[in-house]
Amino acid sequence: MEKKRQYRTKQREELLGFFKKIPGRHMTAAEVCTCLHDEGIKIAQATVYRQMENMVDEGILSKYTADPSVPSCFIYLDKDGSCGEEPCHHCICEKCGRVIHVHCHEIDHLAEHLASEHGFVINPARTVFYGICAECAVKSDRGAE
Amino acid sequence: MEKKRQYRTKQREELLGFFKKIPGRHMTAAEVCTCLHDEGIKIAQATVYRQMENMVDEGILSKYTADPSVPSCFIYLDKDGSCGEEPCHHCICEKCGRVIHVHCHEIDHLAEHLASEHGFVINPARTVFYGICAECAVKSDRGAE
DNA sequence: CTAAGTGCAAAATGTTTGCATACTT
DNA sequence: AAGTATGCAAACATTTTGCACTTAG
């Protein structure tokens, strides 16, 4: 809504640099803190939260919330909302928790359809597909019943 | 995994009955408590949480977590994982928070594609599309800049 | 009678916020 | 100088848990 002027602070630059170094990896706020701390960079967790929330708004990061009892994950997005070269969407396996990156035009196609037919513009940065990944499907085929 | 014997308690039956009465509506644990309370049925919130979590595991309910700062929502599912007659998917508007139910074969098509091509079986019960709904899009067109 | 469920209140957890200080522009 | 950002700790909100008691099988 109202755009606030943004200062170029040391903490923000560090965070940005950190995320750019690990494209395609998702991290919780706490993990970001720890990783930076290990590199000798100390940023308060509140700052991490605040900046990362900003970045989500700016479309720089994407945020996932699987379950309230688990910390949200953030991941770096390229300018075009992808995690790397191509537009990227995310699937989270409900069994193993793994995040799978999918580059798939079918999803883009769906997005167009929802926009034109249903007037709903998807935000790929926040939309996550939940389900069961191939490996876990195999496992539960044997384990179930 | 390990299936625990389940007792048929009054509270569980009430919850089940309550959800069956409102197919297609999503409710937080607190809302469920309040609604039941208004009907003269008093169930501890802890019990609601415990039972609803069970029901999610059993595939009776679906659970959404939009954001950790907002309570999770639960919704009743039919045997086939839908919210009513047709297979149902959910879009949440990031602006107004509204949940939009979409019955759309394009999504089913995508689901098939992900399954066959990517080996990922979507769980429609948990997958939510985030984005901006038509009404909010109009508003922000005027409001922005 | 035994195992499972309930209710209450207390804990736990992730996230947000108030405020004084420090930094950007 | 004015407006933001930071850091810390306290505050919050939701969800989970421990425990004594009740209920279902």
Side-chain angles (χ1 to χ4, degrees):
Chain A
M1 326 275 151
E2 355 58 47
K3 219 156 225 142
K4 197 154 54 159
R5 170 90 117 328
Q6 189 116 261
Y7 285 176
R8 168 173 298 261
T9 65
K10 182 165 150 293
Q11 289 85 341
R12 183 181 161 90
E13 294 301 302
E14 293 286 10
L15 283 169
L16 226 36
F18 173 74
F19 270 107
K20 282 183 181 165
K21 276 191 309 191
I22 53 163
R25 284 190 53 197
H26 60 288
M27 310 212 83
T28 66
E31 288 169 342
V32 169
C33 270
T34 306
C35 286
L36 285 175
H37 191 270
D38 291 347
E39 298 181 21
I41 301 156
K42 199 159 168 315
I43 304 182
Q45 192 150 309
T47 300
V48 172
Y49 270 110
R50 282 190 276 230
Q51 280 295 352
M52 300 207 321
E53 210 60 53
N54 287 348
M55 292 179 195
V56 170
D57 289 343
E58 296 169 60
I60 296 171
L61 296 184
S62 164
K63 176 186 185 181
Y64 308 145
T65 304
D67 199 86
S69 54
V70 158
S72 298
C73 285
F74 297 82
I75 193 171
Y76 178 69
L77 298 175
D78 274 354
K79 338 291 160 290
D80 57 344
S82 74
C83 294
E85 297 308 301
E86 312 161 61
C88 180
H89 303 273
H90 303 99
C91 301
I92 292 188
C93 178
E94 299 183 83
K95 284 275 168 55
C96 64
R98 184 182 332 213
V99 176
I100 299 153
H101 300 258
V102 175
H103 309 95
C104 165
H105 295 297
E106 305 283 331
I107 300 183
D108 300 330
H109 177 251
L110 171 65
E112 285 167 27
H113 171 83
L114 282 178
S116 59
E117 298 302 312
H118 303 272
F120 189 84
V121 181
I122 284 189
N123 176 358
R126 287 207 46 177
T127 299
V128 183
F129 297 87
Y130 288 97
I132 307 295
C133 74
E135 297 175 35
C136 288
V138 174
K139 279 185 226 155
S140 59
D141 259 354
R142 294 195 308 257
E145 309 309 282
Chain B
M1 322 287 149
E2 354 59 46
K3 221 157 226 142
K4 194 154 57 158
R5 168 91 115 330
Q6 190 119 264
Y7 286 177
R8 169 175 298 260
T9 65
K10 182 165 149 294
Q11 290 85 341
R12 182 180 161 91
E13 294 302 302
E14 292 287 9
L15 282 169
L16 225 36
F18 173 75
F19 270 106
K20 281 182 182 165
K21 277 192 309 191
I22 53 163
R25 285 189 53 196
H26 62 288
M27 310 212 82
T28 66
E31 287 169 341
V32 171
C33 271
T34 306
C35 286
L36 286 175
H37 191 269
D38 290 347
E39 298 182 20
I41 301 156
K42 201 160 167 314
I43 304 182
Q45 193 150 309
T47 300
V48 172
Y49 270 110
R50 282 189 277 229
Q51 280 295 353
M52 300 207 323
E53 210 61 53
N54 287 348
M55 292 179 195
V56 170
D57 289 343
E58 295 168 59
I60 296 171
L61 296 183
S62 161
K63 177 185 185 182
Y64 306 146
T65 304
D67 200 86
S69 53
V70 157
S72 298
C73 284
F74 297 81
I75 193 171
Y76 177 69
L77 298 175
D78 273 352
K79 337 293 159 292
D80 58 343
S82 73
C83 294
E85 297 308 300
E86 312 160 62
C88 181
H89 303 272
H90 304 98
C91 302
I92 292 188
C93 177
E94 299 184 85
K95 284 274 167 57
C96 63
R98 183 181 336 214
V99 176
I100 299 154
H101 298 258
V102 176
H103 308 96
C104 166
H105 294 297
E106 304 284 330
I107 299 184
D108 301 330
H109 177 251
L110 171 65
E112 285 167 27
H113 171 83
L114 282 178
S116 60
E117 296 303 310
H118 303 271
F120 189 85
V121 180
I122 284 189
N123 176 0
R126 288 207 46 174
T127 299
V128 182
F129 297 87
Y130 289 98
I132 307 295
C133 74
E135 298 174 35
C136 288
V138 175
K139 281 185 226 155
S140 60
D141 259 354
R142 295 196 306 258
E145 308 309 284

